[in-house]
Amino acid sequence: MQGHRSRTSDWVAALRALYTGAPAGLEIAPDPVAEALLPPLLALEVRALRRSPFVMRLGHRALGAVTRGLSYGIPLRTAAIDAAIRAGVGDGIRQLVVLGAGLDARAFRMGELHEAHVYELDHPLTQAYKRERILGRRPLARGHRLCAIDFERDRIGEVLGAAGFRADEPSFWLWEGVTMYLTPGAIDASLDAIAGASAPGSRLAMTYSARTGVPRWAWHTARAIAAGIGEPLHGPMSSPDVHARLGVRGFRVRSDDSAREWVRRSWPASEHHRAEAYERLVVAERHAQ
Ligand SMILES: C[S@@+](CC[C@H](N)C(=O)[O-])C[C@H]1O[C@@H](n2cnc3c(N)ncnc32)[C@H](O)[C@@H]1O
């Protein structure tokens, strides 16, 4: 990322805000905080689209058509990740680390985190904006810390250690919509750091750009747009490669799926054929070595 705060984090938060209060059948994983975190102009556009069920349905379809189904993946992945976090908390995990948090508002919207400490790590430029926007808002989580980091340069373990994170207790690591912006070297270094700070029973939920299911032209278009806004895309990665990288670091894969599966859990049958597998979510658990 170069010289400015992340714009892609605004867009994904805008989609979460858009699907909050969406008409019956389309609303999933409501994020009542997202709209307040958006830059004013984007918040205005979201409100305009949400002003009636008819306009919202039209917006849903139009965005899906323009992005070739990419936009559907955001609310669907939010729901899939929320479910994975709920399961982790249900199994006793009390630390959530959000890597490249952007405008993630889980600490402020998920009551299930009331006994958990949430550590949000992000680039200083993106985080400065977030800090300003959440000022005075009370988290639902027991603890909430914003920690500045550049994954290409800084050490996750050191940043977290300074914030009070306990590497000897199980943790849930969320890496949502970030790996595609990192070089392979930064991904491996981050995975090493995650493994090094993960007590047995810790979980990692990580999304990655899939190598299959994405037409070549769509991938090149996405790359050109991302490079144009200063957030160049890397990858994609294949599932066997991701699983191998996790396996050598002591993580056993629990699930690995995409919007093609998430849509079946969340939206009516009329929507199922629209979801594409641009991004996958792998959830893995650290075993005792
Ligand atoms: C697409 S946004 C996703 C934000 C959030 N996880 C979500 O899903 O809403 C990508 C995030 O990765 C962060 N990021 C990208 N490269 C980074 C780097 N080198 N160091 C720290 N954060 C980085 C950006 O600041 C941004 O918040």
Side-chain angles (χ1 to χ4, degrees):
M1 214 168 60
Q2 298 142 19
H4 60 76
R5 73 179 185 84
S6 163
R7 302 285 173 227
T8 53
S9 59
D10 288 355
W11 296 343
V12 287
L15 283 164
R16 289 195 291 268
L18 182 64
Y19 283 92
T20 300
L26 286 185
E27 186 182 59
I28 40 171
D31 183 343
V33 183
E35 188 185 317
L37 302 182
L38 296 177
L41 192 60
L42 204 50
L44 203 70
E45 285 163 5
V46 166
R47 276 199 296 278
L49 281 177
R50 265 197 343 221
R51 71 168 187 264
S52 81
F54 174 75
V55 177
M56 168 65 208
R57 281 187 194 284
L58 220 59
H60 163 72
R61 212 40 96 241
L63 282 170
V66 169
T67 63
R68 305 289 286 197
L70 196 62
S71 60
Y72 302 139
I74 302 300
L76 292 168
R77 93 175 178 202
T78 306
I81 291 170
D82 284 2
I85 292 175
R86 270 187 211 109
V89 170
D91 290 338
I93 297 178
R94 295 289 177 267
Q95 303 186 97
L96 170 64
V97 183
V98 189
L99 301 163
L103 301 182
D104 184 299
R106 289 184 172 90
F108 298 88
R109 68 173 176 81
M110 287 186 73
E112 295 89 342
L113 294 172
H114 70 281
E115 287 182 13
H117 289 271
V118 178
Y119 302 89
E120 293 189 15
L121 273 56
D122 207 336
H123 196 277
L125 295 172
T126 307
Q127 200 163 65
Y129 169 81
K130 168 97 167 261
R131 197 179 286 281
E132 199 180 286
R133 302 301 292 205
I134 59 164
L135 200 68
R137 192 175 281 273
R138 259 179 88 102
L140 301 181
R142 182 160 171 209
H144 176 246
R145 295 290 301 267
L146 294 178
C147 314
I149 193 165
D150 184 340
F151 295 125
E152 302 283 349
R153 281 202 328 246
D154 305 324
R155 291 177 188 276
I156 292 176
E158 283 173 15
V159 169
L160 275 175
F165 173 83
R166 299 278 311 261
D168 56 346
E169 290 178 8
S171 42
F172 193 107
W173 300 78
L174 171 57
W175 216 3
E176 178 185 11
V178 184
T179 57
M180 48 294 274
Y181 300 103
L182 302 180
T183 55
I187 293 176
D188 279 333
S190 299
L191 284 174
D192 286 341
I194 293 168
S198 289
S202 296
R203 291 187 195 163
L204 166 64
M206 156 185 168
T207 70
Y208 61 99
S209 297
R211 206 182 277 280
T212 50
V214 185
R216 193 177 287 268
W217 65 265
W219 178 248
H220 287 304
T221 309
R223 263 186 115 101
I225 294 172
I229 59 168
E231 296 179 53
L233 284 170
H234 298 275
M237 293 191 271
S238 72
S239 298
D241 174 30
V242 170
H243 296 185
R245 287 181 190 208
L246 293 172
V248 295
R249 293 174 173 91
F251 280 92
R252 192 174 293 129
V253 172
R254 288 168 60 96
S255 61
D256 187 332
D257 47 23
S258 75
R260 292 213 179 116
E261 287 83 36
W262 311 332
V263 74
R264 292 174 189 282
R265 290 179 223 144
S266 300
W267 277 348
S270 55
E271 303 288 332
H272 291 180
H273 65 287
R274 301 184 201 282
E276 292 294 347
Y278 290 111
E279 192 177 17
R280 299 189 67 83
L281 169 68
V282 61
V283 181
E285 182 164 317
R286 182 76 203 268
H287 52 77
Q289 287 190 313

